[in-house]
Amino acid sequence: MSRILVVEDDQALAMGIEFALKKEEFEVQVADNIQAAKKAFQEERYQLVLLDVMLPDGSGYDLCREIRETSKIPVIFLTACDEEVNVVLGLDIGGDDYITKPFRVKELISRIRAVLRRQGGNQENTRTAAVCIKSGDIALYPLETKVTRDNKEILLTPAEYKLLSALIQNPMQTLGREIILEKLWDMDGEFVDDNTVSVYIRRLREKLEDNPSKPEYIVTVRGIGYKWNKKHQEKR
């Protein structure tokens, strides 16, 4: 059973989330500020954090940065802001997803399950059992969920890794946005904002490309989607 830490200062909302999650047989711990969340995080093991952005004693972004210093636990932001700049900031500091308030209970549960599936499935590789997939100076190690460039490890969020894995394992093939959404979220994309794919592609380019504005690896196929523009060699 997955244990979830809910960091939310709106008491009514927190109680509603707790009730909904427990009904779905999740274990839930609620913290209404950053200090309480830090204490809970140190004392217990969790599989996911639901994190409000605006908290009485600070920013959820800062707490996420601190969590990322020691843990890869999935973090889903709860925010009233859906502007792209807020989305980019949340993803950039290590968030795995964001949910805009107000949200539907079914949306919340679907997002949580999708993130947990991605996290739990990162050790699996449905296409190949290769120890290493080498493409240019990029190397992906499926069994270790690790990516390197010029033999230096690149830190990716679970969602970024999932997207890169889908692209690099289908070299020279255009993946449509719908297919990418399915691979990212393990669902039909109903609850995913239109700019989500673009944000993740941008973040990957910034981490992988010499010149993100003129990408060599991840290229845009206008009106269709994206493709990994280099062939690769699998090493077993």
Side-chain angles (χ1 to χ4, degrees):
M1 182 180 296
S2 297
R3 175 182 278 268
I4 297 176
L5 175 61
V6 178
V7 188
E8 170 61 63
D9 65 322
D10 184 324
Q11 186 175 4
L13 178 58
M15 289 177 62
I17 292 174
E18 182 180 11
F19 176 80
L21 293 181
K22 286 184 175 180
K23 190 175 180 180
E24 296 294 323
E25 299 186 347
F26 290 105
E27 292 185 8
V28 182
Q29 175 68 42
V30 176
D32 61 3
N33 59 59
I34 289 177
Q35 290 304 316
K38 289 180 180 179
K39 185 174 184 295
F41 195 76
Q42 292 171 355
E43 294 177 351
E44 299 285 348
R45 294 178 62 85
Y46 299 93
Q47 281 68 55
L48 184 140
V49 179
L50 280 177
L51 179 56
D52 188 15
V53 172
M54 301 297 293
L55 293 162
D57 55 346
S59 168
Y61 292 141
D62 293 333
L63 178 57
C64 182
R65 290 189 184 95
E66 188 169 332
I67 289 173
R68 279 290 169 265
E69 292 176 0
T70 59
S71 174
K72 293 183 179 180
I73 184 174
V75 175
I76 298 178
F77 283 110
L78 303 176
T79 174
C81 302
D82 61 354
E83 295 182 1
E84 184 175 351
V85 63
N86 300 101
V87 178
V88 171
L89 177 59
L91 299 178
D92 189 33
I93 63 178
D96 298 277
D97 197 2
Y98 64 94
I99 299 178
T100 303
K101 300 176 184 178
F103 49 80
R104 294 170 292 174
V105 172
K106 288 184 178 180
E107 174 183 359
L108 174 66
I109 300 301
S110 294
R111 293 286 189 101
I112 289 173
R113 293 196 187 282
V115 170
L116 289 174
R117 282 197 298 270
R118 292 203 309 271
Q119 185 75 359
N122 277 345
Q123 298 301 323
E124 300 176 359
N125 189 310
T126 57
R127 183 176 182 274
T128 179
V131 173
C132 173
I133 299 174
K134 179 76 172 177
S135 183
D137 57 5
I138 305 296
L140 182 142
Y141 299 83
L143 300 181
E144 303 175 47
T145 62
K146 183 176 75 171
V147 177
T148 64
R149 181 183 179 192
D150 290 328
N151 298 317
K152 296 180 180 179
E153 185 171 2
I154 300 173
L155 298 180
L156 302 178
T157 67
E160 289 170 347
Y161 177 87
K162 189 85 169 181
L163 175 56
L164 174 60
S165 180
L167 289 167
I168 201 172
Q169 292 190 67
N170 295 278
M172 312 305 295
Q173 298 181 37
T174 300
L175 299 184
R177 296 173 68 89
E178 296 80 5
I179 294 176
I180 292 175
L181 286 173
E182 289 176 4
K183 291 181 178 294
L184 276 178
W185 307 112
D186 294 326
M187 52 192 289
D188 61 9
E190 179 182 356
F191 303 126
V192 180
D193 295 307
D194 291 338
N195 63 7
T196 300
V197 173
S198 299
V199 170
Y200 277 116
I201 290 291
R202 181 184 307 169
R203 301 309 303 141
L204 271 181
R205 283 173 172 166
E206 290 175 352
K207 293 182 178 182
L208 300 179
E209 304 278 1
D210 287 327
N211 185 353
S213 63
K214 296 180 179 179
E216 296 181 10
Y217 288 103
I218 304 173
V219 299
T220 301
V221 181
R222 190 172 300 277
I224 302 177
Y226 304 91
K227 73 175 179 179
W228 187 262
N229 203 38
K230 287 184 182 289
K231 295 181 179 181
H232 68 236
Q233 178 182 5
E234 298 180 2
K235 297 181 179 181
R236 297 183 181 275

